[in-house]
Amino acid sequence: MPGHPVFLLRDLDARPFPGIPLAVLGHPIAHSLSPPMHQAALLAMAREDTRLADWRYHRFDIHPDDLPTALDRLHSGGFRGLNLTVPHKVLAFDLVAEVDPAAEAVGAVNTLLATAKGWYGTNTDGYGLNAALRERLGADLAGRVVVLLGAGGAARGAAVECLRRGCARLVVGNRTAANLAELLALLQPLAGAIPVLGFDPADPQARAGLPADALVINATSAGLRADDAAPLDLADVPRPAGIFDMIYHPPQTALLRQAAALGIPQANGLAMLVHQGAKSLELWSGVPAEAIAPLMASALALRSP
Ligand code: NDP
């Protein structure tokens, strides 16, 4: 992407990163929207707050084997904050000096802040999901019946957020039964009195037995490819209140197309990307996420409803 080169670990020795550097680490990373989104917000914020004038947000392609070295080098190299994306969120959890309680429950970190002790890790994905649901679907997780699709890292984060916010019931469906069972076992100790159940999305009877008026959240990667089938056929599901698909590229998945055809309110994952990013930049800059999010949204040409 022009203006946002992809750096490698060796670039840390080869060139300076002046000012206050921030970065996102991933493998691959070329597709990430975080650099243009953060840099546009920083430019706009610096017009009112000159302290931010020399803050720069970079991207690094870091192989998972190199993550421990990269985190050390970025800390000693004066980087103030990092975002982590696939496949680093779980790996980094064990490499940071401190973890906040939100990230502890998820077992993954997506945002790091440099401290005297090393890296402080937190996870802003849950915040991003909750803010996006409110903004795009007018939906609160508190008291809500949620049907969650997926059992990977994103589903785990979403499930913990649903439980933390006091959803009424959480029903999780996943293609591979063993992965579903593993997630359900992990969630039980966090659930308290909230019922947490599993279902097989491929089973028509299980689909027909899903609760009506639920908020359906897709946290699978089914839909990332344009020809992917939807992870849940909505045709025989009792009418949901809304569908949120964490995928934002492509902007409309088969699941969202089906929801639109059935007249069910629906939203893709772009607003989640914005709000998790705004919460990260809040941690690094002290500027409230609510003030940052519109700047990031307009950088992504996302219009508020
Ligand atoms: P993981 O690889 O950890 O998990 C993938 C999940 O998708 C598994 O549950 C897997 O099921 C399921 N899955 C994959 N392919 C299919 C398919 N063809 N049909 C049905 N289920 C399938 O990925 P993550 O949890 O990290 O990410 C999941 C999605 O969430 C990605 O699309 C990612 O882009 C998105 N995301 C969006 C964010 C945002 O800010 N908007 C933030 C984080 C993630 P199985 O167990 O059967 O393999």
Side-chain angles (χ1 to χ4, degrees), residues 86 89 125 150-155 174-176 179 218-222 224-225 228-229 231 246-248 269-270 272-273 276:
V86 178
K89 293 184 191 184
D125 281 339
N174 192 55
R175 177 181 61 177
T176 305
N179 295 342
N218 177 35
T220 76
S221 36
L224 280 179
R225 285 181 306 246
D228 278 348
M246 285 197 192
I247 293 172
Y248 52 82
L270 205 55
M272 178 175 170
L273 177 79
Q276 62 77 30

Side-chain angles (χ1 to χ4, degrees), residues 10 49 119 139 153 212 293:
R10 62 172 179 264
D49 186 348
W119 291 109

Side-chain angles (χ1 to χ4, degrees), residues 227-283:
D227 57 351
D228 278 348
L232 180 71
D233 185 352
L234 298 175
D236 50 8
V237 168
R239 190 177 177 81
I243 310 276
F244 185 82
D245 197 327
M246 285 197 192
I247 293 172
Y248 52 82
H249 186 76
Q252 215 190 20
T253 59
L255 183 67
L256 293 184
R257 276 196 297 279
Q258 200 184 12
L262 293 167
I264 302 167
Q266 30 94 22
N268 72 18
L270 205 55
M272 178 175 170
L273 177 79
V274 163
H275 288 289
Q276 62 77 30
K279 197 67 179 169
S280 297
L281 193 44
E282 174 185 278
L283 179 72

Side-chain angles (χ1 to χ4, degrees), residues 9-287:
L9 183 57
R10 62 172 179 264
D11 289 312
L12 284 167
D13 294 317
R15 55 156 283 165
F17 289 88
I20 305 288
L22 306 163
V24 58
L25 316 187
H27 184 71
I29 196 61
H31 66 284
S32 174
L33 290 175
S34 290
M37 182 177 87
H38 277 269
Q39 198 56 57
L42 282 167
L43 273 176
M45 289 156 72
R47 280 185 215 118
E48 295 187 3
D49 186 348
T50 51
R51 182 178 62 96
L52 300 170
D54 62 351
W55 289 44
R56 294 288 177 272
Y57 192 100
H58 306 282
R59 76 175 82 206
F60 281 80
D61 192 322
I62 301 292
H63 189 276
D65 293 347
D66 293 331
L67 187 63
T69 311
L71 291 182
D72 282 351
R73 288 286 295 106
L74 289 158
H75 191 272
S76 60
F79 277 70
R80 179 176 180 80
L82 302 176
N83 280 137
L84 301 163
T85 185
V86 178
H88 297 317
K89 293 184 191 184
V90 174
L91 297 172
F93 181 81
D94 292 323
L95 298 173
V96 297
E98 281 177 281
V99 172
D100 90 340
E104 187 87 55
V106 182
V109 287
N110 79 331
T111 304
L112 307 187
L113 172 70
T115 69
K117 289 190 202 165
W119 291 109
Y120 166 86
T122 185
N123 197 318
T124 66
D125 281 339
Y127 169 90
L129 172 64
N130 184 60
L133 290 172
R134 294 180 81 154
E135 180 186 290
R136 295 280 137 184
L137 294 175
D140 256 319
L141 286 170
R144 176 70 70 169
V145 175
V146 178
V147 172
L148 176 64
L149 305 172
R156 181 167 162 175
V160 168
E161 189 67 15
C162 291
L163 297 175
R164 254 173 34 87
R165 299 262 170 195
C167 66
R169 186 156 34 132
L170 181 60
V171 188
V172 189
N174 192 55
R175 177 181 61 177
T176 305
N179 295 342
L180 175 61
E182 201 179 311
L183 178 61
L184 293 177
L186 211 137
L187 295 175
Q188 289 306 339
L190 307 173
I194 302 171
V196 179
L197 311 155
F199 78 101
D200 175 4
D203 176 356
Q205 254 186 317
R207 290 201 298 269
L210 286 173
D213 208 30
L215 186 58
V216 175
I217 300 174
N218 177 35
T220 76
S221 36
L224 280 179
R225 285 181 306 246
D227 57 351
D228 278 348
L232 180 71
D233 185 352
L234 298 175
D236 50 8
V237 168
R239 190 177 177 81
I243 310 276
F244 185 82
D245 197 327
M246 285 197 192
I247 293 172
Y248 52 82
H249 186 76
Q252 215 190 20
T253 59
L255 183 67
L256 293 184
R257 276 196 297 279
Q258 200 184 12
L262 293 167
I264 302 167
Q266 30 94 22
N268 72 18
L270 205 55
M272 178 175 170
L273 177 79
V274 163
H275 288 289
Q276 62 77 30
K279 197 67 179 169
S280 297
L281 193 44
E282 174 185 278
L283 179 72
W284 302 325
S285 68
V287 177

